[in-house]
Amino acid sequence: DGSFAAMLFRASSRFNHSCFPNAGAHAPDSGGFASVADYEPAPLSTFAIEDIAKGEEVCICYLSEIDQLSPASSRQAALQNGWGFTCSCRRCQGSRPLDSRLEGFAENSGYNQSEAFERHRAVGKANRAFRALFDPTSEDYDPPRDDFEASVDRLTKFREDFRFLDKAHCAMQRVRRELLAVFLIDGPDGAVGGRLP
């Protein structure tokens, strides 16, 4: 329909994927455009994000920010659906111990021992709430808009409602990051920043 620009970068398109990449890529925003015909493509820059040894393969991550912070099962599903392959990088092979915490429960939550606690249902509810806050592709997407205080209340409620999740869980990482941004914007003595836990 001419409203979405798709690009193929000949050299960069040859990079393989890794969930624990040693390089990143960035294309600066070239501003708004009315149609693809008006689009001015921006150059794609590729850069190292860790030391790369001579002869080592340079890999980038194909996943969105949300999927990058997801546990292996979610990443594998996103890669299979979007690119048609199963990743076998060292992170997916289990060499990154933090990965198990991305989908884990807090050790002191008390929920692990509770027979009434249905893990699968609770995690599903947390995922839906998280996607409603942060994932524009979700049909429930409804981020807080134009109300700073309501945004903080909603993020704080997420933390309280899903406190059974490990602090390293991908959803909790993102919510903490958003609350930290509020604190930095409003300051410790601000009307909103001063209320943060």
Side-chain angles (χ1 to χ4, degrees):
D1 67 0
S3 62
F4 179 75
M7 295 167 281
L8 174 64
F9 295 96
R10 286 184 293 191
S12 298
S13 67
R14 300 182 58 83
F15 287 118
N16 282 324
H17 163 84
S18 172
C19 296
F20 191 64
N22 55 15
H26 174 70
D29 185 9
S30 61
F33 55 94
S35 72
V36 173
D38 298 329
Y39 183 73
E40 291 292 328
L44 181 74
S45 301
T46 304
F47 50 90
I49 55 177
E50 64 176 42
D51 291 337
I52 301 172
K54 183 177 181 180
E56 181 182 355
E57 182 179 17
V58 177
C59 292
I60 62 174
C61 186
Y62 297 173
L63 298 170
S64 69
E65 181 178 303
I66 288 174
D67 288 327
Q68 286 178 44
L69 292 173
S70 296
S73 58
S74 299
R75 294 194 316 271
Q76 291 289 352
L79 290 166
Q80 193 64 52
N81 291 337
W83 290 272
F85 71 92
T86 300
C87 183
S88 58
C89 72
R90 58 188 171 143
R91 182 176 173 198
C92 288
Q93 295 295 322
S95 69
R96 307 299 302 169
L98 178 62
D99 230 37
S100 62
R101 292 186 64 195
L102 289 174
E103 55 188 332
F105 284 67
E107 289 179 20
N108 59 354
S109 69
Y111 290 102
N112 290 329
Q113 294 78 30
S114 170
E115 291 181 19
F117 183 66
E118 296 182 42
R119 178 184 171 119
H120 183 72
R121 184 174 290 165
V123 170
K125 186 176 179 183
N127 284 337
R128 282 190 300 280
F130 179 77
R131 292 203 176 271
L133 281 168
F134 300 112
D135 185 0
T137 64
S138 169
E139 59 186 49
D140 298 325
Y141 184 57
D142 182 28
R145 293 182 178 93
D146 303 326
D147 187 343
F148 199 52
E149 197 164 331
S151 299
V152 171
D153 289 342
R154 193 152 165 212
L155 292 167
T156 302
K157 183 174 181 348
F158 183 95
R159 284 183 63 179
E160 291 168 359
D161 289 350
F162 304 111
R163 66 187 180 279
F164 58 83
L165 296 173
D166 192 296
K167 287 182 180 178
H169 190 283
C170 53
M172 291 307 231
Q173 288 182 51
R174 176 67 187 269
V175 169
R176 276 198 317 276
R177 189 174 74 192
E178 297 294 331
L179 286 169
L180 179 60
V182 168
F183 183 77
L184 293 173
I185 291 169
D186 198 45
D189 300 322
V192 177
R195 295 179 341 166
L196 293 178

